Amino acid sequence: MDWSALLEALLLVVAAGIVFGAWMHARGRDRRATRALRASEERFRNLTALSADWFWETDTGHRITWLTGGPTVLAFFGSGLAFGRRLWEMPGVELDGVAFTEHLEKLRLRVPFFDLEMARSDGDGARQWHLVSGQPRHDGAGNFLGYRGVGRDVTERRRGERELAAAKERLELALEGSNASLWDTDLRTGKVYLSEGWAELVGRPRAPTATTVEELMQGVHEQDLPRAVQLSMDALKGEREDYVEEHRYRTADGEWKWVLSRGKVSERDADGRAVRMTGINFDITARKRAEQSMRDAEERYRSLVELSPDAVVVFSGGVIEYANPAAARLVRVASPKALLGRAVEDFVHPDDLERYRERVRYLGAGRGTVAQEERRLRCPDGSEVVVESASASFLERGRLVMQSVLRDVTEQRRAREALAEREQRFRDVVEASGEYVWETDAQWRYTYLSARVEAVLGCMRTELIGRTPREFMPLGEARALDDWFERNAREGQPFRDLLHRSITKSGKVIWQQVSGMPVRDAQGRLTGFRGTGADVTARKQAEERIQYLATRDALTGLPNRALLADRTGQAILAAARSRGQLALLQFDLDRFKLVNDSLGHQAGDALLRAVAERLQNTLRREDTLARLGGDEYALLWDGLKNAQEAALVAQRIQSILQRPFTIEGRALNVTASIGVGIYPHDGRDFSGLLKSADTAMHHAKDTGRGGIRFFSPELNARAVERLTLESDLRGALLRGELLLHWQPVVRQGSIVGAEALVRWNHPQRGLLAPDAFIPAAEESGLIRGIGEWTLEHALSQIGAWQRTLPGEPWFALNVSALELAQGEAYVARLRAALAAHGVPGSRLELEVTERVLMAHLQPNIETLKRIGELGVRLAIDDFGTGYSSLAYLRRLPIDKLKIDRGFLRELDSNSGDAMIVEAIAAMARGLGLQVAAEGVESEAQLRRLLAAGCVEWQGHHFSPALEAAAFERLARGERAAAAG
């Protein structure tokens, strides 16, 4: 047996056992350490959950990696996820801007920070405040790992601080409103604290004051200091509970203010010695000044009474107790003492005694006053004086006292009687004349009118007094009156023969001629006017009749050449100032001589009067229609915009005259040749302008009766072209020259409908597109007839296609402003046309431009709503080129927006147009509207349009507008191709 091998094996087993035992011991120790660490961490977590503080850690980017704190954290940060966020990124957390900037700087420097205040409001509006502090973390190698810190809930402390500040502010406001300040004295140290009101009282910036008793004593007036010290010492000794005293105190600027100080001992020590004293100071300067002012006023009143020129007498029980020197002079006695103790009735005239006693009884019943009245007095020397007396009774030291003020008016009374006699003589003379006399104050309010005015204005004088002449004038007369005074008599100057209109009580308008003189007081100040007035209506009417006959045509009553020349001259001056234009149209009746020759001059005169009456009733008020003589007339058209407007006026005259005239039972058809002259191009005065119009009129007669000619060849050619177009257009409907073309509308490569477009097959100019004649039709009013024609013919064709075309295509028609303005009438016509042709409303779409829609928005909205009730769809045409507000878009009862072709021309090259198209398409989708485009000419445009979200389009890229047969073939062929 190999003992060495056995020993070696035994040693190996023992070594293995030792190693295994050591490993098991180490593992048991690690387990115990882990359990202890977990228990410690659990205890730490429980402690933090129960604590008011919370703890946190962040990474190097300051994002939260660990956060604990129990209910406090949950209440402050809410239930949202906190990990991975920065403290200031938590929802609802607020930080002061300056403090946050400083905090970021500290984080950048990686230094500790303390008490960063964070605030947050919970769902109920309750506000919380927390203070956060932190220290940087580093690993064993000194590498920065982030921050670790603690947070504290300071909500209750902040609320307490705010409530304390609010209470203090309320107290300060109360003290400020009461003009008072609090004081508190520590008697052991001699320190005194005074609230903010004290600084304001002594003239320093408003702030709390801390001082000493000695310093305060230095500001007290030396005469008031002993009493103030004595009263406070009495309170300190307990001889009185509190004290109140008034003293003067010197302010910062050296002035003295009165202060009422109230104080008491608020604290004593164990031995009963006063250690604290508190109180309040009031600024009573205003009250003291008022009291002094009252004493001064009493002294001044006594001095004034003594010096008064009016007699003042005070009496009680009918016996005089006081009289001033003026009273002694009034009754002619040596001095006021001679009146004391005398009975007042001794000086009253016997005839006025009963009235005096009545006044005394009234005043003796209690406090009262008696207004000023005249009374006679009898003096001791037997003479009499007339006085104006006013009296009052009042209580004085518990007894009723009466006081009278008397003024000698003896001379004034004599003067009044003399003046009244002179005025009566004057009034007698005036009443005997045909004029009336008037007087006014400085504001032209009547103060006096003689009786004659009642016959002139039909109003009683009492109805006129206090009112102004302007109140009885027609509208506009007062302004004319102001202009007259400005030219002839400025304020405060005499005036003569002023003519103006007035309205009588019965409503009749009369003419008055008024003259007046200013009235001034002794200082030369204007106090009013006085003068005379007369009714000159009869004279004025006679003058106006003469003037009328001088400026009017005797046969027609129209202005004659002289009046036309005057008005044209005024219009030219106004146009020259404003750089405007005006037109003078001259015309005569074609073949008028035939009427005179065949029917006689009486019929000719009747025709001239009828023409004048018909034209005058249809022109503007500011226009002047004149008869120049014979059968020639002239029209002054002021405020001309352009030559086209003059052409329209001329055409209107011809249209008015086209209706037959009934003269002596016969129907006469009348035409006129019209010549037009325009200022300033064709003449700068009346004669030049009339000559130009006359030349043009004769040129019109030479080139064919019933024509219109402009003096300027260029304007003539342009206007004639427009008139020719309109004239041809009037006959186009009757001659059947209008026709409809149909442009297919495509969606996803298939025809879904078509737009009806009107065309004019002009006899000389060929096929005209709408742009060539629709503007003229709108301006002349022919668009309404074209619209009616289009509606009838389009629905007729649509009704036929319902039976022949496959599918259910819809068709679009354009609506003009004049058609839409008809409101319910247009809706009724549309309803009748749909029913007549058996077309359901869903097969029809009406297109309205933004410009037409916004012209009368609210009425148009109502009309569109009524149209929508028929099942008809509505679209805004040329969208993006008008001026509608997007705010109104939601209110409009529309179904579709059609993008204007102007945005498609450069769609494939202009990014701005592409953005506009995309925006319109997005807006339409957001509003639940369809969007379409017109004018698609290329494949590139189509691709950009489809990419923008617009899938409905029309344009030459697919097909131009076609005649009905061609469109039908196209629609049938497309459907057949799709079926094949």
Side-chain angles (χ1 to χ4, degrees):
M1 186 173 188
D2 190 353
W3 291 103
S4 61
L6 180 61
L7 180 60
E8 186 178 349
L10 181 61
L11 289 175
L12 288 174
V13 170
V14 172
I18 293 172
V19 171
F20 179 76
W23 177 77
M24 290 299 292
H25 176 73
R27 184 175 180 186
R29 186 180 56 191
D30 290 343
R31 288 177 178 174
R32 287 192 299 273
T34 300
R35 286 196 297 271
L37 181 60
R38 287 177 179 173
S40 175
E41 182 178 358
E42 183 65 25
R43 287 194 299 273
F44 176 73
R45 292 182 182 274
N46 292 335
L47 286 173
T48 57
L50 297 173
S51 172
D53 293 341
W54 46 277
F55 303 88
W56 54 270
E57 286 185 2
T58 64
D59 58 14
T60 58
H62 309 297
R63 288 178 289 270
I64 295 173
T65 59
W66 178 68
L67 178 66
T68 183
T72 302
V73 172
L74 182 62
F76 186 64
F77 290 115
S79 58
L81 183 63
F83 294 100
R85 293 184 176 178
R86 298 175 177 87
L87 286 173
W88 57 84
E89 293 176 348
M90 300 297 287
V93 169
E94 302 173 10
L95 288 89
D96 177 71
V98 175
F100 182 53
T101 302
E102 295 176 352
H103 176 68
L104 293 179
E105 178 63 18
K106 291 178 179 179
L107 294 182
R108 187 183 68 81
L109 299 175
R110 298 177 178 175
V111 298
F113 63 89
F114 303 96
D115 294 337
L116 173 66
E117 184 173 277
M118 304 172 65
R120 185 177 184 270
S121 298
D122 60 20
D124 298 328
R127 199 159 180 81
Q128 300 179 53
W129 289 270
H130 283 229
L131 295 180
V132 181
S133 301
Q135 292 277 356
R137 294 188 298 119
H138 299 83
D139 60 13
N143 297 318
F144 177 69
L145 300 178
Y147 271 83
R148 173 186 295 119
V150 64
R152 297 196 309 277
D153 184 355
V154 293
T155 301
E156 294 302 324
R157 189 176 78 187
R158 286 288 186 269
R159 289 174 181 168
E161 291 172 353
R162 295 198 173 197
E163 290 174 359
L164 181 60
K168 180 181 178 183
E169 183 179 0
R170 288 194 295 271
L171 178 58
E172 291 292 342
L173 289 174
L175 292 175
E176 181 181 355
S178 62
N179 203 19
S181 65
L182 297 174
W183 56 268
D184 185 4
T185 303
D186 187 341
L187 298 173
R188 291 167 296 193
T189 63
K191 298 292 185 181
V192 182
Y193 168 81
L194 300 104
S195 64
E196 294 181 352
W198 176 256
E200 185 174 353
L201 186 146
V202 297
R204 292 196 294 268
R206 186 175 179 87
T209 302
T211 182
T212 65
V213 174
E214 290 75 12
E215 290 178 356
L216 282 178
M217 289 298 184
Q218 293 174 4
V220 180
H221 196 282
E222 60 181 6
Q223 296 178 359
D224 303 329
L225 183 59
R227 173 175 169 79
V229 172
Q230 183 61 47
L231 291 174
S232 61
M233 291 302 295
D234 291 345
L236 291 175
K237 295 176 182 178
E239 295 177 2
R240 59 173 67 228
E241 184 178 352
D242 59 3
Y243 74 91
V244 178
E245 60 89 18
E246 298 176 355
H247 63 267
R248 286 162 287 180
Y249 196 90
R250 186 173 54 248
T251 64
D253 56 6
E255 295 184 358
W256 293 96
K257 283 192 174 183
W258 278 95
V259 178
L260 185 149
S261 183
R262 181 188 298 272
K264 64 183 296 184
V265 176
S266 58
E267 184 180 347
R268 295 181 184 271
D269 60 13
D271 298 328
R273 290 190 296 268
V275 296
R276 187 182 185 88
M277 199 170 193
T278 57
I280 188 168
N281 293 325
F282 293 95
D283 184 357
I284 59 171
T285 307
R287 193 194 79 190
K288 286 291 187 179
R289 289 175 180 171
E291 292 172 354
Q292 184 61 41
S293 297
M294 185 176 296
R295 289 191 293 270
D296 294 342
E298 290 176 355
E299 185 62 31
R300 285 195 300 271
Y301 172 74
R302 181 173 293 277
S303 300
L304 289 174
V305 170
E306 291 293 322
L307 298 173
S308 172
D310 295 331
V312 179
V313 178
V314 179
F315 55 96
S316 179
V319 178
I320 298 174
E321 297 181 350
Y322 169 81
N324 68 345
R329 293 193 298 269
L330 180 66
V331 295
R332 298 176 176 84
V333 296
S335 69
K337 292 182 180 180
L339 298 175
L340 300 183
R342 297 281 301 272
V344 178
E345 290 189 359
D346 293 346
F347 299 93
V348 179
H349 193 280
D351 294 344
D352 296 339
L353 190 58
E354 185 58 37
R355 188 176 182 183
Y356 163 75
R357 290 172 178 169
E358 179 185 343
R359 298 294 187 266
V360 170
R361 286 193 296 270
Y362 169 75
L363 293 174
R367 296 176 58 182
T369 59
V370 174
Q372 199 172 64
E373 62 181 1
E374 282 194 2
R375 182 178 299 137
R376 288 174 295 173
L377 299 182
R378 186 172 57 185
C379 302
D381 61 4
S383 61
E384 295 182 2
V385 294
V386 180
V387 298
E388 286 183 346
S389 172
S391 302
S393 60
F394 54 90
L395 290 174
E396 184 181 83
R397 299 184 184 91
R399 65 193 185 97
L400 193 66
V401 176
M402 301 178 190
Q403 177 176 299
S404 294
V405 179
L406 305 99
R407 177 176 296 175
D408 186 355
V409 294
T410 305
E411 293 302 322
Q412 289 93 319
R413 184 171 184 179
R414 291 171 184 167
R416 284 201 306 271
E417 291 174 350
L419 180 61
E421 183 179 354
R422 289 195 299 271
E423 286 182 350
Q424 187 59 44
R425 287 198 298 270
F426 173 74
R427 288 191 179 109
D428 292 342
V429 172
V430 170
E431 294 298 334
S433 69
E435 298 181 336
Y436 65 90
V437 178
W438 54 268
E439 290 183 5
T440 70
D441 59 15
Q443 284 73 43
W444 290 96
R445 293 187 291 262
Y446 285 124
T447 58
Y448 168 77
L449 288 162
S450 63
R452 176 69 180 171
V453 74
E454 296 180 357
V456 175
L457 293 177
C459 300
M460 300 295 292
R461 283 181 289 177
T462 54
E463 300 178 64
L464 302 174
I465 297 298
R467 302 174 70 179
T468 65
R470 294 170 179 265
E471 297 180 44
F472 305 94
M473 293 181 184
L475 187 65
E477 192 71 12
R479 181 176 297 178
L481 207 64
D482 293 338
D483 295 340
W484 190 93
F485 271 104
E486 184 67 24
R487 295 192 307 269
N488 300 281
R490 295 183 180 272
E491 183 177 358
Q493 298 297 321
F495 59 92
R496 293 183 58 83
D497 301 332
L498 167 61
L499 286 171
H500 70 82
R501 294 176 298 162
S502 297
I503 301 176
T504 67
K505 189 173 183 178
S506 63
K508 178 182 177 183
V509 177
I510 64 171
W511 282 94
Q512 291 196 72
Q513 181 172 290
V514 181
S515 300
M517 296 288 293
V519 179
R520 302 183 184 276
D521 59 14
Q523 287 73 37
R525 293 174 301 205
L526 182 68
T527 60
F529 293 87
R530 68 166 58 99
T532 60
D535 183 357
V536 294
T537 305
R539 189 191 78 191
K540 187 67 177 176
Q541 289 175 344
E543 293 174 353
E544 290 177 349
R545 179 61 181 169
I546 294 171
Q547 179 68 20
Y548 179 85
L549 293 176
T551 58
R552 296 284 173 167
D553 174 56
L555 177 64
T556 61
L558 295 176
N560 58 14
R561 183 186 294 265
L563 183 55
L564 177 64
D566 179 69
R567 292 184 179 177
T568 304
Q570 297 178 26
I572 287 175
L573 289 175
R577 286 194 296 267
S578 62
R579 296 184 179 182
Q581 299 184 82
L582 58 89
L584 188 65
L585 290 78
Q586 183 176 343
F587 57 95
D588 67 2
L589 306 181
D590 297 329
R591 300 192 301 174
F592 177 72
K593 186 175 181 299
L594 180 61
V595 177
N596 274 338
D597 293 342
S598 59
L599 302 179
H601 288 281
Q602 184 174 353
D605 291 346
L607 178 59
L608 293 175
R609 285 193 295 268
V611 168
E613 181 179 0
R614 182 180 292 182
L615 290 175
Q616 199 169 23
N617 290 338
T618 56
L619 296 176
R620 302 180 305 179
R621 180 177 298 179
E622 60 267 27
D623 301 329
T624 298
L625 177 67
R627 181 174 176 237
L628 303 179
D631 63 334
E632 289 190 358
Y633 297 84
L635 173 64
L636 172 62
W637 187 271
D638 198 2
L640 186 71
K641 298 176 182 177
N642 47 50
Q644 285 76 13
E645 184 181 11
L648 291 174
V649 173
Q651 184 180 2
R652 184 180 178 190
I653 292 174
Q654 287 186 332
S655 176
I656 293 171
L657 297 179
Q658 281 179 356
R659 289 182 285 123
F661 291 87
T662 302
I663 304 297
E664 296 182 353
R666 292 183 176 87
L668 300 180
N669 293 312
V670 175
T671 60
S673 298
I674 303 176
V676 182
I678 298 177
Y679 169 86
H681 307 294
D682 303 334
R684 293 186 173 271
D685 55 17
F686 171 71
S687 59
L689 205 55
L690 184 64
K691 181 179 178 181
S692 298
D694 182 70
T695 301
M697 182 192 72
H698 284 89
H699 180 61
K701 295 181 74 69
D702 294 340
T703 55
R705 301 184 184 277
I708 300 171
R709 293 293 181 270
F710 284 78
F711 179 73
S712 170
E714 295 81 4
L715 294 177
N716 183 38
R718 196 178 308 157
V720 166
E721 180 181 0
R722 183 62 174 267
L723 289 172
T724 302
L725 181 67
E726 290 182 7
S727 178
D728 293 343
L729 187 57
R730 291 180 185 277
L733 290 170
L734 299 176
R735 294 189 294 268
E737 295 172 357
L738 298 182
L739 53 98
L740 290 177
H741 280 190
W742 306 81
Q743 184 167 39
V745 178
V746 181
R747 177 188 287 269
Q748 296 178 351
S750 301
I751 297 175
V752 294
E755 180 180 0
L757 301 172
V758 65
R759 298 288 191 265
W760 181 11
N761 190 13
H762 194 278
Q764 287 81 36
R765 300 170 61 180
L767 192 65
L768 299 180
D771 293 341
F773 61 91
I774 289 299
E778 290 179 338
E779 189 172 2
S780 63
L782 294 174
I783 190 65
R784 183 177 298 178
I786 294 175
E788 294 176 0
W789 180 91
T790 302
L791 180 64
E792 287 296 325
H793 285 71
L795 289 180
S796 175
Q797 181 64 66
I798 294 170
W801 277 339
Q802 284 186 121
R803 298 181 295 272
T804 59
L805 284 182
E808 293 184 358
W810 49 265
F811 300 91
L813 300 178
N814 291 282
V815 181
S816 67
L818 285 176
E819 292 176 287
L820 202 60
Q822 296 176 34
E824 186 59 32
Y826 179 77
V827 176
R829 186 166 65 252
L830 177 61
R831 182 188 298 110
L834 289 171
H837 298 286
V839 177
S842 59
R843 301 291 292 275
L844 185 63
E845 181 177 284
L846 296 184
E847 296 182 0
V848 185
T849 65
E850 288 182 86
R851 177 179 59 83
V852 169
L853 187 61
M854 296 301 295
H856 302 285
L857 181 62
Q858 192 55 44
N860 287 343
I861 288 177
E862 297 301 322
T863 301
L864 294 181
K865 287 181 179 178
R866 302 282 287 123
I867 292 174
E869 294 172 0
L870 302 177
V872 177
R873 293 181 301 168
L874 300 167
I876 295 184
D877 197 12
D878 301 337
F879 185 77
T881 62
Y883 48 85
S884 63
S885 168
L886 296 180
Y888 289 130
L889 203 57
R890 296 174 301 172
R891 298 172 47 196
L892 300 176
I894 58 172
D895 305 282
K896 181 188 295 183
L897 299 180
K898 289 192 69 175
I899 303 174
D900 183 72
R901 66 178 65 245
F903 298 120
L904 272 64
R905 292 192 183 97
E906 300 177 1
L907 182 62
D908 53 343
S909 59
N910 190 320
S911 60
D913 286 348
M915 291 178 64
I916 292 175
V917 170
E918 291 174 3
I920 294 175
M923 180 179 62
R925 289 193 299 271
L927 294 173
L929 303 177
Q930 298 180 27
V931 61
E934 57 184 0
V936 180
E937 307 294 337
S938 67
E939 182 64 24
Q941 291 177 348
L942 179 59
R943 284 196 301 269
R944 293 296 298 270
L945 191 65
L946 295 175
C950 180
V951 298
E952 185 174 297
W953 56 278
Q954 62 189 80
H956 284 70
H957 180 61
F958 182 84
S959 170
L962 305 171
E963 294 183 356
F967 172 79
E968 185 174 350
R969 286 194 300 272
L970 178 63
R972 285 179 174 277
E974 182 191 53
R975 181 55 57 92

